[in-house]
Amino acid sequence: MAAKGTPAPVQEKPTLKTIARITGLAVATVSRALADAPDLRADTKALVRRVADELGYVPNRAGLRLRTGRTQVISLVMSTEHDMMNNTARLISSLAGAMRGTTFHLNVSYYFPGEDPLKPIRHIVEMGLADAVIFNQTQPADPRVAWLMERRFPFATHGRTLWASRHAWADFDNMAFGAIAVRRLARFGRRRVAVVAPPLNQNYAQDIVAGVSQAAAETGIEVRVLSDTSSDRPSGEVQATVARALPDGVDGLVCASTSSAMASVAALEAHGMRLGQGIDLVAKEAIPFLSLFRREIIAIEEDVGRAGAVLARAAIRAIREPEAPPLQDLETPQDDQDLTKGPT
């Protein structure tokens, strides 16, 4: 025991040698187990990881990169203007959960409104800050995708592009969502539908517009995309735009996010209207919430947790198996006349 007034001895920082001594394995074996070497037995890797966790072992990132050429980091790059009530928080949670138990760690990077979205990705790649990147809000001919493919740097996207056959992605069938939304409104007798879509330069926005247009042609109802706002804009702006559209006889609304649905409800209620009484609203959501806000909302759920898990696996595959086919996943909602909610 240290004498009174004498600082306690500093505990030795655990190293690969510490883990090797406790497990009885060679240092090289410990290092390869922590790197998830495919030729090592699963029980050996589990033992090493358990001891490493108990000791609080943290790898030296600089040394790790010198030895392996990897950082063991995957970076999620997102815009600061993205609405946290939408699917951002769910995506981050699912990505982190899917990486738990692997050798990879999730890092979140941002870019600000008005900035080039390629800027943080270029910085990550050129500075060697991550082994792969994941990003969303994709455009059809997304310059980030083109730049990364040219450099053969591992990545995965939440959303598709014109080059979807050539890279990893997870997506929700937004064309199907748009069509289902309009068909459900038509079954409720709605004839003039306004759509609060995402920014129209994004791929999924164009899919939603294509879906609502297709269903409008099938059902013979009028559909109008509100061009003065988007589902990513502040709630006050969405509310004001919807309020201006309501006097034109709008009796149905399609909203691409939770926040835009709530803003739209605020607009129609301020106009003296009530859901289910002359007007209905269909919205997409990542977390079951809208039915608690207004039970009359027709909610279609997007499983962002599924997307995050796929994107994590896709990024890891792109790192470890660069020549393997890219991992891709499309979630398609089902139209069920007997349900007022989307698929679970």
Side-chain angles (χ1 to χ4, degrees):
M1 181 175 180
K4 186 176 181 180
T6 303
V10 177
Q11 187 175 6
E12 177 189 359
K13 181 179 179 180
T15 65
L16 294 177
K17 289 183 179 179
T18 312
I19 300 171
R21 183 174 67 248
I22 293 173
T23 60
L25 299 169
V27 172
T29 303
V30 169
S31 177
R32 294 177 65 246
L34 291 172
D36 199 23
D39 58 328
L40 285 182
R41 289 172 41 176
D43 58 347
T44 298
K45 290 188 280 189
L47 170 64
V48 170
R49 288 175 185 163
R50 179 176 59 78
V51 172
D53 288 343
E54 290 173 354
L55 293 173
Y57 170 76
V58 178
N60 182 303
R61 295 290 170 190
L64 180 66
R65 180 150 187 224
L66 286 174
R67 293 193 306 273
T68 68
R70 294 179 181 169
T71 64
Q72 300 298 314
V73 170
I74 294 173
S75 188
L76 172 66
V77 181
M78 309 192 77
S79 168
T80 57
E81 68 180 355
H82 205 59
D83 188 348
M84 290 300 287
M85 185 177 284
N86 202 340
N87 58 22
T88 306
R90 185 74 182 94
L91 181 63
I92 293 172
S93 174
S94 59
L95 282 167
M99 292 182 199
R100 187 178 183 181
T102 75
T103 60
F104 292 93
H105 297 265
L106 180 67
N107 179 38
V108 181
S109 299
Y110 294 95
Y111 58 93
F112 293 92
E115 284 189 341
D116 180 1
L118 179 56
K119 178 181 176 181
I121 291 177
R122 183 186 291 115
H123 177 72
I124 290 166
V125 173
E126 292 179 350
M127 297 298 293
L129 302 178
D131 299 326
V133 292
I134 297 170
F135 54 93
N136 63 357
Q137 297 181 318
T138 55
Q139 300 176 19
D142 198 297
R144 298 168 295 181
V145 171
W147 192 85
L148 289 164
M149 288 196 303
E150 181 181 348
R151 285 155 183 78
R152 299 179 65 84
F153 189 85
F155 71 96
T157 62
H158 189 197
R160 287 166 289 174
T161 69
L162 293 175
W163 308 296
S165 64
R166 298 169 54 190
H167 67 83
W169 52 265
D171 202 1
F172 181 78
D173 192 338
N174 286 285
M175 183 179 292
F177 161 73
I180 290 169
V182 169
R183 290 183 193 127
R184 290 190 180 181
L185 290 171
R187 288 199 291 268
F188 279 96
R190 306 309 170 205
R191 307 306 301 169
R192 303 193 74 181
V193 175
V195 181
V196 183
L200 294 177
N201 66 330
Q202 294 180 25
N203 195 75
Y204 83 114
Q206 295 179 23
D207 283 347
I208 289 175
V209 172
V212 299
S213 300
Q214 173 189 313
E218 293 172 358
T219 57
I221 68 176
E222 178 185 336
V223 169
R224 169 188 167 197
V225 177
L226 300 181
S227 58
D228 294 342
T229 192
S230 80
S231 58
D232 285 358
R233 299 299 298 162
S235 295
E237 179 183 308
V238 174
Q239 181 177 349
T241 302
V242 172
R244 288 193 297 269
L246 290 173
D248 294 335
V250 169
D251 60 3
L253 288 160
V254 176
C255 297
S257 70
T258 299
S259 59
S260 63
M262 294 173 68
S264 297
V265 170
L268 68 89
E269 290 184 350
H271 200 67
M273 306 173 75
R274 292 292 180 269
L275 284 176
Q277 300 177 22
I279 189 167
D280 286 291
L281 184 151
V282 181
K284 182 164 62 119
E285 63 179 357
I287 301 171
F289 172 82
L290 286 173
S291 61
L292 301 177
F293 171 64
R294 293 291 184 276
R295 62 182 179 82
E296 297 86 359
I297 292 177
I298 305 166
I300 296 177
E301 187 176 347
E302 176 181 0
D303 189 351
V304 178
R306 162 177 164 172
V310 170
L311 290 170
R313 296 199 310 271
I316 292 172
R317 177 191 285 188
I319 295 166
R320 292 177 172 168
E321 305 174 64
E323 302 305 320
L327 187 59
Q328 301 165 346
D329 180 70
L330 180 65
E331 179 193 358
T332 303
Q334 301 300 311
D335 188 6
D336 191 326
Q337 298 186 45
D338 298 326
L339 295 180
T340 57
K341 290 186 178 180
T344 58

